[in-house]
Amino acid sequence: MKRLLAIGLGIVTSIGGFLDAGSIATSAQAGAAFGYGLLWAVALGTVCVIFLVEMSGRFAIVSGHTITDAIRKRFGFPALAAPFAVTMLVNLLVLASELGAVCVALELATGIPFQFWAVPVAIALWLLLWVATFDVVEEGTALLGLVTLCFVVAVFKLGAEPAELMRATLVPTLPTEERAHYLFLAVSIVGATIAPYLFLFYSSGAIEDKWDKSYLLPNRVVATLGMLFGAAISMAVIVVAALTLKPQGVRVEDYHQAALMLIPAFGHWGFKLFLASLAIACFGAALELSLASAYAAAQTFGWNWGEDLKPRRAARFSVAYTGFIAVATLIVLAGVNPMKLTLFSMAITAVILPLTVLPFLLLMNDRIYMKDHVNSRFSNVVVVLIVFLSAVLALVAIPLEMFGSQ
Amino acid sequence: MRRDELHLVRDVLDTQVRDREERAMGKVDGIGLELREGAPPRVAYFEIDGVTAWSRIGPRFARWAGRIAALWERAGHPYRFTWSQVRELDIDLELDVDAERTAAFDLERWLRDKFVSRLPGGR
């Protein structure tokens, strides 16, 4: 019964927590510019993230270590330092993206420019982490996050053609124009789908909730179904944008244009639903990111960590997320276009994936840690192929996008 | 784990250290050997110290870390312990000490006094 509850809750958490600034921004742009053309990129990223999330849960269950802990112990501090520094830097950009997106949602709702919202939103975020417990943070935001299911409802209301969707999901195509931008969006989508903070967060949660071997099966079910359903919402954003924004030739340069996509399905409620989805999904992601980054710091240096600990009992951990939120807030205050920042951060995420995934994969095949639960050759090959392909493509796509061939 | 087969680098270095109340103190950042005349070297101490950890990457990193750590370090740095203080070595290494009374908690204490306790809810 307890396991069943854990499965149900895990799936709801994954669905409600799947969308974030990265997936909303990349999906909205992709749908508006290329129709269904990039659905396959979500599918590709999802296959990889299912494997990675399942592995990170299995690793925590079998070895009793979080991933960061084990990377340091197995490969030493010098080997962890570079991936750690890069991950923190990218997490910071992504956190700024999430905060920025929440602020834009508030700007669209009130008319007050988004920079003015940065400090109040950051304080709300910090206060929740400071006073609430892990379960409240995780389950509360996930439940509210179910509002993002409105994109799936919209797909049905707009009457998308299932056969066409299926084909675009399974068969990648290359457009005749704007190939550089297409490639850039493809890697950004993969980066948004395989967010490393997601599986670092998941493994820390498994340790904090003291999962034992009876959770091996629930872990597998949650990873697979949760990510699949979550990805369905991400795909729904592409489909809705393809059906509503593309025919009118709307180019999504920032969230203002993206916010119009639900209106044909829901009328004036569509606008409000989009804002609610954006604000809640990104706020939830910001919570997870702040925690995941503080976890990473604490596990790298061996500090007391845990969302259930009072700040007094884990001062280094609490100050870590406090500082992290403060710096991200400064980035938002600087007034960078939140959507541009998001797309850029997602593409960079794709570049750095091998740095975190490779040492993790080595651990997943190490019998000292995993005993009889090491990876199958199949899952190794799938993850290595997708991660390295995305990194190489991202290295090509980023300069093309920045210096423009269009 | 068979204790007669302990590998210093594989099993001890970079392991999480906890005190007797399971509070995370830090990682085993370094291991010191004592060289003896006419006898094999002997493990003298283990240390928890950010500067030691950074010095494993390079002297410049160690200098930077040292300058920053000077903000909160009190006497007794770096924190060193011997094998006789180890209660258990499994996933983590557990010491028979009170973390609050050690130099390993200097940063924790400093942040608690300077920041956490001055913020609402941080008492």
Side-chain angles (χ1 to χ4, degrees):
Chain A
M1 188 59 208
K2 204 175 141 211
R3 312 265 178 281
L4 265 179
L5 194 71
I7 293 180
L9 208 61
I11 294 176
V12 170
T13 314
S14 317
I15 298 172
F18 196 91
L19 274 202
D20 61 359
S23 42
I24 294 176
T26 54
S27 298
Q29 270 215 347
F34 300 105
Y36 298 166
L38 279 161
L39 280 176
W40 62 269
V42 182
L44 191 72
T46 306
V47 170
C48 192
V49 82
I50 288 175
F51 278 104
L52 284 172
V53 168
E54 188 277 332
M55 284 177 200
S56 65
R58 175 156 45 100
F59 186 78
I61 292 169
V62 177
S63 77
H65 286 88
T66 64
I67 299 168
T68 311
D69 255 328
I71 291 179
R72 169 148 186 194
K73 186 162 175 181
R74 181 70 182 77
F75 305 109
F77 180 71
L80 174 62
F84 169 73
V86 175
T87 307
M88 290 303 257
L89 210 64
V90 174
N91 279 1
L92 198 61
L93 292 180
V94 182
L95 180 59
S97 310
E98 308 289 353
L99 282 177
V102 177
C103 297
V104 170
L106 290 166
E107 171 184 317
L108 289 170
T110 61
I112 301 170
F114 76 89
Q115 290 97 322
F116 287 92
W117 289 104
V119 173
V121 170
I123 290 178
L125 175 72
W126 174 80
L127 256 183
L128 253 183
L129 293 173
W130 197 256
V131 298
T133 64
F134 186 81
D135 291 347
V136 174
V137 167
E138 198 184 19
E139 288 152 21
T141 54
L143 279 177
L144 289 175
L146 291 178
V147 68
T148 54
L149 283 169
C150 64
F151 288 100
V152 180
V153 177
V155 169
F156 286 102
K157 286 192 90 162
L158 294 167
E161 187 61 54
E164 223 178 307
L165 292 182
M166 196 55 97
R167 197 172 50 239
T169 305
L170 299 176
V171 189
T173 47
L174 201 61
T176 45
E177 343 178 293
E178 291 196 274
R179 286 186 168 172
H181 188 51
Y182 180 84
L183 187 66
F184 177 77
L185 275 180
V187 293
S188 304
I189 289 176
V190 174
T193 314
I194 319 177
Y197 80 84
L198 198 73
F199 54 91
L200 293 175
F201 185 74
Y202 188 79
S203 93
S204 301
I207 296 285
E208 198 155 28
D209 289 343
K210 299 196 168 59
W211 286 6
D212 58 21
K213 286 205 175 149
S214 66
Y215 279 85
L216 279 170
L217 183 67
N219 169 55
R220 188 161 288 183
V221 176
V222 168
T224 312
L225 292 184
M227 294 299 127
L228 271 182
F229 289 144
I233 305 184
S234 216
M235 289 179 159
V237 180
I238 295 189
V239 175
V240 173
L243 291 173
T244 60
L245 302 180
K246 185 164 189 279
Q248 301 184 23
V250 177
R251 300 284 300 194
V252 177
E253 301 291 340
D254 57 44
Y255 290 105
H256 297 73
Q257 292 107 12
L260 308 174
M261 70 164 81
L262 287 172
I263 293 176
F266 300 108
H268 73 283
W269 274 101
F271 186 67
K272 290 174 185 156
L273 275 173
F274 184 90
L275 297 188
S277 299
L278 185 67
I280 293 170
C282 299
F283 192 79
L287 278 170
E288 288 191 1
L289 253 168
S290 314
L291 274 182
S293 307
Y295 286 150
Q299 291 159 11
T300 297
F301 299 110
W303 308 334
N304 243 3
W305 60 274
E307 173 49 19
D308 290 336
L309 287 177
K310 288 247 177 295
R312 222 190 128 63
R313 301 262 302 151
R316 291 170 289 189
F317 173 77
S318 316
V319 171
Y321 64 68
T322 306
F324 206 67
I325 293 172
V327 179
T329 309
L330 289 179
I331 301 179
V332 180
L333 282 173
V336 192
N337 175 337
M339 186 174 260
K340 290 222 168 82
L341 180 66
T342 307
L343 289 172
F344 178 70
S345 317
M346 293 306 127
I348 297 279
T349 301
V351 176
I352 65 149
L353 272 179
L355 268 181
T356 37
V357 169
L358 191 68
F360 176 45
L361 272 188
L362 290 172
L363 287 171
M364 290 305 299
N365 290 282
D366 190 330
R367 284 194 187 272
I368 295 178
Y369 287 88
M370 294 305 293
K371 303 183 183 82
D372 292 337
H373 298 276
V374 288
N375 268 359
S376 69
R377 188 165 296 167
F378 178 69
S379 49
N380 285 332
V381 171
V382 171
V383 172
V384 166
L385 272 182
I386 297 179
V387 163
F388 280 85
L389 185 74
S390 321
V392 172
L393 288 180
L395 279 176
V396 178
I398 293 174
L400 282 179
E401 173 77 12
M402 285 178 77
F403 305 113
S405 59
Q406 301 159 36
Chain B
M1 185 183 299
R2 280 173 53 190
R3 279 300 145 76
D4 51 341
E5 269 190 21
L6 198 67
H7 286 221
L8 277 182
V9 171
R10 189 193 67 192
D11 301 325
V12 184
L13 189 63
D14 289 312
T15 297
Q16 177 70 50
V17 182
R18 294 181 181 277
D19 75 347
R20 60 171 87 94
E21 284 173 35
E22 300 211 337
R23 273 177 298 201
M25 297 171 67
K27 305 267 182 174
V28 179
D29 293 310
I31 299 172
L33 296 185
E34 176 194 355
L35 299 176
R36 299 177 298 169
E37 203 133 322
R42 180 165 63 186
V43 174
Y45 58 83
F46 304 89
E47 61 187 11
I48 301 176
D49 180 45
V51 181
T52 307
W54 287 105
S55 73
R56 287 162 62 193
I57 300 180
R60 180 173 299 172
F61 289 94
R63 273 200 302 278
W64 288 340
R67 262 178 231 149
I68 299 170
L71 285 174
W72 57 77
E73 273 177 10
R74 301 189 309 189
H77 252 272
Y79 177 65
R80 290 177 175 170
F81 61 92
T82 59
W83 193 254
S84 61
Q85 290 167 284
V86 176
R87 287 223 297 210
E88 203 189 328
L89 172 59
D90 185 17
I91 287 174
D92 299 336
L93 195 149
E94 202 181 302
L95 296 186
D96 193 11
V97 298
D98 174 3
E100 286 286 349
R101 293 166 171 273
T102 67
F105 249 41
D106 277 0
L107 173 59
E108 178 80 17
R109 258 194 309 268
W110 186 72
L111 290 175
R112 192 194 301 145
D113 297 343
K114 293 265 185 233
F115 298 97
V116 176
S117 59
R118 294 182 184 179
L119 291 167
R123 275 165 292 123

